[in-house]
């Protein structure tokens, strides 16, 4: 006689509760909803005593790393408005505003 239930999942035929939807977290820099990949970024670098982390898109984090040194990031701290006052960052945020949350692109290095 055949089994009614799978040996490993005897309750497989019962209606299961649907998984709770994953909370969409906005990016700290651009305020767009994050996608599949979330980077937890230290606004004040760990090497400068930073402990707080904020959710960001990988492309947003790379933009910050490309445009600022650790000491500059330390001066800004958690002040997003100060970062957005910087013309290259403002230009980037305006450009990426209508992109998909999982959008990625190569970034040019800052010329020093």
């Amino acid at each position: 006689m055949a089994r009614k239930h799978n040996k490993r999942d005897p309750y497989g035929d019962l209606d299961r509760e649907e998984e709770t939807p994953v909370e969409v977290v906005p990016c700290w820099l651009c305020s767009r909803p994050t996608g599949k990949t979330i980077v937890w970024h230290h606004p004040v670098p760990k090497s400068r005593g930073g402990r707080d982390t904020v959710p960001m898109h990988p492309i947003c984090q790379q933009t910050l790393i490309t445009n600022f040194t650790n000491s500059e990031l330390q001066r800004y701290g958690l002040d997003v408005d100060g970062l957005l006052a910087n013309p290259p960052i403002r230009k980037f945020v305006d450009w990426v505003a209508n992109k998909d949350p999982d959008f990625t692109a190569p970034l040019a290095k800052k010329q020093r």
Side-chain angles (χ1 to χ4, degrees):
M1 184 162 194
R3 288 189 180 118
K4 283 187 170 181
H5 303 290
N6 185 341
K7 198 176 194 181
R8 296 176 192 213
D9 189 11
Y11 303 106
D13 60 341
L14 299 178
D15 292 334
R16 297 180 188 257
E17 291 182 31
E18 291 185 26
E19 293 181 24
T20 56
V22 178
E23 182 181 336
V24 178
V25 182
C27 177
W28 179 70
L29 182 65
C30 70
S31 300
R32 294 181 303 136
T34 53
K36 294 176 186 173
T37 306
I38 300 174
V39 176
W40 291 93
H41 175 72
H42 289 84
V44 176
K46 287 172 58 175
S47 64
R48 305 291 179 157
R51 294 181 185 267
D52 298 328
T53 58
V54 293
M56 292 181 76
H57 296 107
I59 192 169
C60 294
Q61 182 194 31
Q62 286 300 319
T63 300
L64 284 185
I65 292 170
T66 302
N67 287 292
F68 296 105
T69 63
N70 282 350
S71 57
E72 289 172 331
L73 288 173
Q74 180 185 10
R75 278 185 244 132
Y76 284 109
L78 291 169
D79 181 24
V80 176
D81 296 328
L83 291 170
L84 293 175
N86 188 310
I89 300 300
R90 172 49 63 192
K91 183 178 177 183
F92 167 78
V93 169
D94 291 342
W95 172 73
V96 82
N98 297 322
K99 305 285 191 247
D100 185 64
D102 290 317
F103 174 78
T104 184
L107 299 172
K109 296 276 185 188
K110 180 179 179 183
Q111 295 180 2
R112 296 185 183 247

